[in-house]
Amino acid sequence: MSHDAVPDPLLDKALRTHTDYGQEHLDEHELAADPFTQFTAWLAEAAARQVYEPNAMVIGTIDPDGRPSSRTVLLRGVDERGFAFYTDYTSRKGRALIANPGISAVFPWYPLHRQVLIYGEAHTVDEADSDSYFSNRPRGAQIAAWSSDQSQPIDGRTALEQKVRDTEQRFADAEVVPRPERWGGFRIVPHRVEFWQGRTSRLHDRLVFERQGTGWAVSRLQP
């Protein structure tokens, strides 16, 4: 847009949008004893309150050349070991994490005025876990995993669809589609987890779990 152009009123409105985040609060005495228990409670509440894809998280990685990269993936497991998701190990994020396991993740539950921010390291899960998860994927998703060299260029949609047809033919007589060796899971092992609750006048509640030895310490951050 040139300096003389008239601003688009819809763009101007979008840039000036201001929402009051209300009076829901998060106090120290309300927290669970560890971030995994607190997270699963918030995740269940997000699902109950019909947040679209509550298990969607934006992960940030550092590529082998030192450049940051972000994308959305789906959380597929959470327990005291960490937060698990699955991908192609040769994809951009896969190569980044193998070179540099440092990772951040954000669950942006906008309708609830909540976020969970996770910082830690991502490590590949056991092959048995990857096999188990892959075996329970829809067959179409299994075929896609074989067909797509994730993050790599391709001439067009037609070429991609031809790769899918070739893979379908390859496994036409197979009752079980095996997991590709290049495909599997990562588990984020956190050292810091922040629970963010929006409040009126931007005086948000920000409570952070930080790993200390075998336990967790909790602190409050200014908004």
Side-chain angles (χ1 to χ4, degrees):
M1 179 183 293
S2 69
H3 293 295
D4 297 327
V6 177
D8 184 330
L10 292 179
L11 174 61
D12 186 63
K13 180 180 179 181
L15 293 173
R16 294 177 182 274
T17 294
H18 181 96
T19 302
D20 187 287
Y21 291 161
Q23 295 299 320
E24 287 197 57
H25 60 273
L26 180 63
D27 294 330
E28 285 82 348
H29 70 272
E30 298 173 329
L31 283 180
D34 65 81
F36 307 111
T37 303
Q38 181 65 39
F39 175 83
T40 55
W42 267 22
L43 177 62
E45 186 175 350
R49 294 170 67 175
Q50 299 184 327
V51 171
Y52 179 72
E53 290 199 330
N55 60 328
M57 59 180 175
V58 180
I59 60 170
T61 60
I62 301 296
D63 290 346
D65 57 8
R67 296 180 180 179
S69 180
S70 299
R71 78 288 286 155
T72 301
V73 301
L74 297 178
L75 178 72
R76 291 307 191 189
V78 56
D79 55 29
E80 69 281 355
R81 297 174 298 172
F83 304 84
F85 65 95
Y86 292 82
T87 189
D88 187 322
Y89 290 141
T90 65
S91 67
R92 183 174 183 179
K93 58 183 170 296
R95 288 182 285 111
L97 290 172
I98 290 171
N100 178 1
I103 188 171
S104 64
V106 180
F107 288 85
W109 295 324
Y110 301 126
L112 307 186
H113 306 144
R114 286 179 177 174
Q115 300 180 76
V116 179
L117 302 92
I118 300 166
Y119 305 90
E121 294 187 341
H123 304 284
T124 56
V125 305
D126 293 340
E127 289 191 3
D129 289 341
S130 292
D131 288 338
S132 176
Y133 178 77
F134 189 83
S135 69
N136 287 303
R137 298 187 92 199
R139 189 178 179 92
Q142 294 174 336
I143 294 295
W146 278 96
S147 304
S148 174
D149 296 311
Q150 195 175 123
S151 303
Q152 299 304 309
I154 194 167
D155 289 339
R157 181 77 186 186
T158 299
L160 177 62
E161 291 174 349
Q162 182 59 55
K163 291 180 69 177
V164 170
R165 288 191 291 271
D166 292 344
T167 305
E168 289 173 337
Q169 181 62 34
R170 175 182 177 183
F171 292 110
D173 298 326
E175 183 176 346
V176 176
V177 177
R179 175 179 63 87
E181 289 187 8
R182 69 173 190 270
W183 194 97
F186 284 102
R187 179 174 289 108
I188 303 172
V189 180
H191 56 74
R192 177 186 176 100
V193 183
E194 176 181 335
F195 293 86
W196 185 101
Q197 174 68 64
R199 298 288 297 272
T200 294
S201 299
R202 297 300 191 259
L203 294 175
H204 314 308
D205 288 323
R206 299 177 60 188
L207 299 184
V208 180
F209 286 88
E210 292 187 274
R211 195 182 292 274
Q212 288 192 351
T214 59
W216 297 89
V218 175
S219 61
R220 174 177 288 267
L221 301 182
Q222 298 179 62

